[in-house]
Amino acid sequence: GDRILHSMRKRASDGEYQTLPPAGYRIVYKEDGKKSLQFDAAKAPVVRRLFDLAAAGGHSLEDLAAEAERLGLTNRKGRRMHKSIVHKLLTNPFFKGYVRFDGIVAKGIHEALVPEDVWERVQ
């Protein structure tokens, strides 16, 4: 268990993501068999829209969840995104290009979906 945790911390500090990617990203396999993350063409614009609305202010989490539903963004099970999931999405540093694991926050090897200044305004 300790070796696995050590390995996971090492990968996080190297900027590698270790679980399923959040909404707006998808896993793509390269010719050499390695995985990489790319933007999901259907979901990435919706996630960006949610960040833009949140950064502009004047929108509650419930408003943002309703907007996500209107634009077709759902949770992994295909259901409506509850406001707690929208909150988790908006506070995830992954979208500004960082990886977070077990207290480690490191620059990720993936491309940021949202500019860092927009992410910071949302916080």
Side-chain angles (χ1 to χ4, degrees), residues 17 19-23 25 43 74-79 81 85:
Y17 198 64
T19 61
L20 292 175
Y25 287 90
K43 295 180 181 179
T74 60
N75 67 14
R76 292 192 197 278
K77 294 181 181 181
R79 298 186 186 130
M81 290 185 81
I85 301 299

Side-chain angles (χ1 to χ4, degrees), residues 29-93:
Y29 290 91
K30 297 179 181 178
E31 291 179 12
D32 62 2
K34 293 185 179 182
K35 293 189 280 187
S36 71
L37 295 178
Q38 291 182 350
F39 296 138
D40 182 325
K43 295 180 181 179
V46 178
V47 173
R48 280 191 200 115
R49 172 96 173 121
L50 292 178
F51 271 95
D52 289 341
L53 289 172
H59 299 281
S60 68
L61 287 173
E62 195 62 48
D63 293 341
L64 295 172
E67 181 68 7
E69 181 178 27
R70 188 182 72 74
L71 295 172
L73 187 64
T74 60
N75 67 14
R76 292 192 197 278
K77 294 181 181 181
R79 298 186 186 130
R80 179 183 188 272
M81 290 185 81
H82 190 268
K83 64 183 181 180
S84 63
I85 301 299
V86 172
H87 178 267
K88 186 175 179 181
L89 182 140
L90 293 173
T91 58
N92 188 346

Side-chain angles (χ1 to χ4, degrees), residues 11-12 15-22 37 76 92 94 98-100 109-110:
R11 279 200 230 146
E16 295 179 36
Y17 198 64
Q18 302 173 61
T19 61
L20 292 175
L37 295 178
R76 292 192 197 278
N92 188 346
F94 189 85
Y98 286 78
V99 174
R100 178 177 53 197
I109 58 174
H110 63 283

Side-chain angles (χ1 to χ4, degrees), residues 8-18 25 37 92-112 116 119:
M8 292 175 78
R9 285 181 181 144
K10 170 79 169 92
R11 279 200 230 146
S13 64
D14 290 344
E16 295 179 36
Y17 198 64
Q18 302 173 61
Y25 287 90
L37 295 178
N92 188 346
F94 189 85
F95 293 102
K96 68 174 181 173
Y98 286 78
V99 174
R100 178 177 53 197
F101 175 76
D102 196 32
I104 298 168
V105 178
K107 181 73 174 138
I109 58 174
H110 63 283
E111 187 176 350
E116 195 164 343
W119 189 89

